[in-house]
Amino acid sequence: MSSVAKLPWDTKKPTLHEAAGFDVERVRADFPILQQKAHGHKLVYLDNAATSQKPKAMIDAIVHYYEHENANIHRGVHYLSEIATEEYENARKVVQEFLHAAHPSEIIFVRSTTEAINLVAQTYGRTHVGAGDEVLITAMEHHSNIVPWQLLCEEKGAKLQIAPINDKGELLLDEFEKLLRPGTKIVSLGHLSNALGTINPLAQIVRLAHAHGVPVLVDGAQAAPRLPLNVRELDCDFYAFSGHKAYGPTGIGILYGKLALLEKMPPYQGGGDMISSVTFEKTLYNKVPHKFEAGTPDMSGAVGLRAAIEYLNGLGMENIEKHEHELLAYATGKVSAIPGVRLIGTAKEKAGVLSFVMDGVHPHDIGTILDQDGIAIRTGHHCAQPLMDRFGVDATARASFGLYNTKEEIDALVQGIQKVQEVFA
Amino acid sequence: MPDLRDLYQELILEHSKAPRNYRELTTPDRKAEGYNPLCGDRFTVYLKMQGDSIQDIGFQGSGCAISKASASMMTQTLKGKTQTEAQEFFERFHKVVTGQAASTNGHQELGKLAVFSGVSEFPMRVKCATLAWHTLQAALEGKQDAVSTE
Ligand SMILES: Cc1ncc(COP(=O)(O)O)c(C=O)c1O
């Protein structure tokens, strides 16, 4: 996009693993938990869409923070407080760079994707959505991108509109566009579906929405650990993700928002740090991003997230994307070739997720049998019940990949599925 | 290490494939719905009472092999039993699937239902095995709201 100004980090730097190619065995050695066994078998962790495992460098960064740097931030004049504040604000800059955002102030530390979406619904949403207005989401959203909008619509007397998908799990862009109406106040949709693996054509969606004057929030919970991101190129208005799915710690998440929007939004929660002065008559709010960060934040979480992102940068998001793409293609071929197995979610553009059902076997039983061989997958509705209804299933079995997974692990999954069929033969 | 064959016993697999009393009763005296939000299992249990006794019992719904077989065998066991007997069966069943049955004694009194003792090795599956029973209990107590395992 020509209108996007170049920032220093837009020039591609060579990454740690690029020269040598992506060496998955070396990567695996960085993850202590992968060295252990499950039920006496080599652990095959294929539940990365639920949460990712953690590299040692990330764990060490949190330990280092508590052993050497811990103090409350933005509050003390003393030595440690200064270090802690610097660490926290440096983490913000690393996230800014990761998302290719224009300003560090556009990065708000929150608890998770869930909190980021609730924040926007309760601030931007409550000031812009009124009676009779509409909020537009899609049929493939996670509950965390449905319920906050339902709460808002219920309170305001607004209507939640759902853009439909086809049988492959792809958004119907024509239908989506028809639902952009004069009363539409915000679009909120996932970048990458956790239940189907579909990658939505975001740039196109944002263009359509903006042509109707509607801002777009992107739920990036599954995309952040899998795809190179550039929020300025996408031109989305808000972008949310969780640290724990991106090889970082639990308890920290990110809301990116365009500065002009954030500045006009009312605060989310009240408390310390989000104010610039308080009297009993009137409180002046702090500047963005602090206006949205009430109370003592998750400082060690920010430090851990920074270390996780630096780890990802070291590998190179392009390399990670390519590696997982190869895994998904390999797994799709192998699993769909098994008689009696049907994939749920066969979009042309997919990443990271393989959802499937089996004739005559409930996903829960598949999960238990695979678990006995040390293979961890997720079974259930994946917090997307309306989507399960759309496909006429109660649940699916889902294998989801991470940067440390291997083709051998997919072979183990395939053998496991064959074993399930033997048990139920 | 728990053995899969202890969980997926022949009899359990057989009942899951061809559940008994898998039907809605046309004029039930009582019915209740049970739901396990974790895995999406959902059953309705129908009862026809004669005084204090279960004259007829049926169930419908969807779920995993364990929950379906458990519902099927429950209906077989309880037909003709009194409310109190049904409650006693549930208590014994619960002890067996949670590994609290002291000896083979509890197993003997359970009859065929003892095949579910393997569930105790798989704590994540206890709710599957007991869903139909919780639903039955709600039906007997005349509860209107769907019962949930969570
Ligand atoms: C697509 C998507 N959105 C949102 C979430 C919610 O993330 P969190 O639970 O970290 O807030 C998830 C995680 O399950 C997800 O997969």
Side-chain angles (χ1 to χ4, degrees):
Chain A
M1 242 190 198
S2 54
S3 62
V4 175
K6 280 264 176 230
L7 294 179
W9 48 80
D10 286 344
T11 359
K12 198 170 164 300
K13 297 170 213 124
T15 62
L16 206 67
H17 284 245
E18 215 161 42
F22 188 90
D23 181 353
V24 73
E25 285 310 322
R26 244 175 61 202
V27 167
R28 291 182 70 80
D30 296 334
F31 289 78
I33 209 170
L34 297 181
Q35 319 309 320
Q36 75 184 26
K37 296 202 160 185
H39 299 304
H41 292 267
K42 212 175 140 193
L43 171 68
V44 175
Y45 187 76
L46 298 176
D47 194 17
N48 294 282
T51 198
S52 61
Q53 298 303 346
K54 317 303 175 194
K56 179 93 171 35
M58 192 294 277
I59 301 165
D60 288 347
I62 292 179
V63 172
H64 181 85
Y65 173 80
Y66 279 127
E67 286 184 349
H68 301 284
E69 299 169 343
N70 179 54
N72 210 326
I73 56 163
H74 298 143
R75 292 182 190 185
V77 289
H78 56 78
Y79 174 74
L80 280 180
S81 177
E82 196 178 314
I83 295 180
T85 305
E86 199 176 303
E87 285 296 318
Y88 185 73
E89 292 305 325
N90 280 341
R92 197 189 303 279
K93 288 192 192 113
V94 169
V95 176
Q96 174 201 357
E97 221 177 290
F98 182 64
L99 293 178
H100 293 80
H103 305 279
S105 310
E106 296 182 318
I107 305 301
I108 300 164
F109 284 115
V110 292
R111 198 163 52 81
S112 57
T113 307
T114 301
E115 189 176 46
I117 299 172
N118 277 281
L119 188 158
V120 176
Q122 290 301 312
T123 57
Y124 185 89
R126 285 181 79 182
T127 43
H128 289 82
V129 177
D133 285 341
E134 295 183 351
V135 171
L136 179 54
I137 63 171
T138 82
M140 65 178 107
E141 299 312 316
H142 187 276
H143 292 167
S144 67
N145 197 23
I146 302 173
V147 186
W149 303 112
Q150 280 176 331
L151 288 170
L152 175 70
C153 289
E154 218 165 276
E155 180 192 320
K156 296 290 183 176
K159 187 155 192 272
L160 190 62
Q161 291 286 4
I162 318 294
I165 56 176
N166 64 20
D167 290 342
K168 290 183 183 166
E170 295 166 324
L171 187 64
L172 296 168
L173 277 176
D174 291 351
E175 300 295 320
F176 172 80
E177 192 176 9
K178 276 186 221 154
L179 287 168
L180 288 164
R181 300 196 277 231
T184 309
K185 289 292 147 64
I186 188 164
V187 167
S188 191
L189 85 164
H191 193 167
L192 199 177
S193 159
N194 66 306
L196 302 173
T198 308
I199 302 175
N200 278 314
L202 275 190
Q204 213 177 338
I205 287 166
V206 172
R207 259 200 311 279
L208 285 174
H210 284 181
H212 290 78
V214 184
V216 179
L217 183 156
V218 179
D219 167 357
Q222 296 299 340
R226 300 200 162 79
L227 309 174
L229 296 176
N230 187 325
V231 290
R232 279 175 310 126
E233 240 170 58
L234 287 173
D235 200 26
C236 59
D237 301 274
F238 300 101
Y239 197 96
F241 74 94
S242 296
H244 72 95
K245 293 186 201 275
Y247 308 95
T250 52
I252 189 107
I254 295 297
L255 173 67
Y256 157 84
K258 283 182 180 165
L259 197 56
L261 288 173
L262 293 178
E263 278 172 345
K264 282 197 219 122
M265 280 153 52
Y268 175 47
Q269 294 177 327
D273 266 352
M274 56 77 72
I275 49 85
S276 62
S277 84
V278 177
T279 67
F280 286 120
E281 288 70 41
K282 184 158 180 61
T283 290
L284 293 177
Y285 303 128
N286 203 338
K287 292 197 301 275
V288 168
H290 310 295
K291 181 169 81 177
F292 296 106
E293 294 178 359
T296 302
D298 184 358
M299 301 168 300
S300 67
V303 167
L305 179 57
R306 171 195 173 159
I309 290 176
E310 283 173 343
Y311 181 81
L312 292 176
N313 289 341
L315 297 181
M317 285 310 293
E318 285 82 4
N319 297 333
I320 293 168
E321 182 186 22
K322 186 162 161 282
H323 174 69
E324 288 189 30
H325 187 78
E326 282 165 16
L327 285 179
L328 180 62
Y330 184 73
T332 303
K334 290 269 175 180
V335 173
S336 61
I338 305 172
V341 173
R342 179 162 65 95
L343 300 187
I344 301 289
T346 48
K348 196 155 160 285
E349 296 297 327
K350 268 187 77 170
V353 171
L354 193 73
S355 248
F356 59 95
V357 291
M358 267 167 93
D359 290 345
V361 189
H362 192 278
H364 212 176
D365 296 311
I366 302 174
T368 292
I369 295 170
L370 291 179
D371 178 55
Q372 288 308 296
D373 287 339
I375 304 168
I377 62 160
R378 170 87 185 265
T379 64
H381 53 59
H382 317 297
C383 296
Q385 282 177 334
L387 185 64
M388 299 292 112
D389 294 343
R390 165 66 180 77
F391 282 93
V393 296
D394 294 322
T396 75
R398 178 189 72 187
S400 56
F401 310 115
L403 54 86
Y404 36 63
N405 287 127
T406 64
K407 288 189 177 159
E408 291 74 48
E409 290 180 310
I410 289 164
D411 292 337
L413 170 71
V414 169
Q415 275 169 21
I417 295 172
Q418 284 158 348
K419 183 166 162 188
V420 173
Q421 291 185 322
E422 282 161 27
V423 171
F424 278 85
Chain B
M1 197 179 108
D3 190 334
L4 276 177
R5 274 165 306 191
D6 291 342
L7 182 65
Y8 293 108
Q9 305 242 2
E10 267 319 309
L11 192 61
I12 291 180
L13 289 174
E14 197 261 314
H15 270 265
S16 79
K17 286 174 197 161
R20 317 297 199 274
N21 303 305
Y22 189 78
R23 61 197 159 86
E24 184 178 349
L25 301 191
T26 40
T27 52
D29 297 315
R30 299 186 191 164
K31 73 172 193 184
E33 206 185 310
Y35 180 50
N36 181 346
L38 199 69
C39 44
D41 291 359
R42 191 186 286 279
F43 290 107
T44 307
V45 172
Y46 306 92
L47 293 173
K48 185 90 189 155
M49 304 299 290
Q50 191 173 48
D52 191 40
S53 292
I54 299 170
Q55 190 193 14
D56 199 4
I57 176 168
F59 82 102
Q60 276 188 326
S62 64
C64 62
I66 305 301
S67 62
K68 208 174 230 178
S70 167
S72 170
M73 291 175 70
M74 175 187 83
T75 60
Q76 266 193 329
T77 308
L78 296 186
K79 212 179 276 192
K81 298 285 189 298
T82 65
Q83 287 209 37
T84 318
E85 285 167 336
Q87 190 58 39
E88 282 166 6
F89 262 106
F90 183 20
E91 277 162 26
R92 268 181 247 137
F93 182 77
H94 197 266
K95 283 204 173 117
V96 163
V97 295
T98 51
Q100 295 172 49
S103 63
T104 49
N105 230 351
H107 293 203
Q108 269 165 14
E109 288 167 26
L110 267 183
K112 275 197 279 182
L113 287 174
V115 294
F116 286 96
S117 62
V119 172
S120 65
E121 301 282 334
F122 296 81
M124 312 277 273
R125 304 306 297 273
V126 170
K127 283 177 180 165
C128 307
T130 54
L131 177 59
W133 290 87
H134 282 293
T135 313
L136 168 88
Q137 201 172 35
L140 285 172
E141 288 168 6
K143 285 194 182 138
Q144 294 302 315
D145 292 339
V147 294
S148 166
T149 55
E150 295 301 302

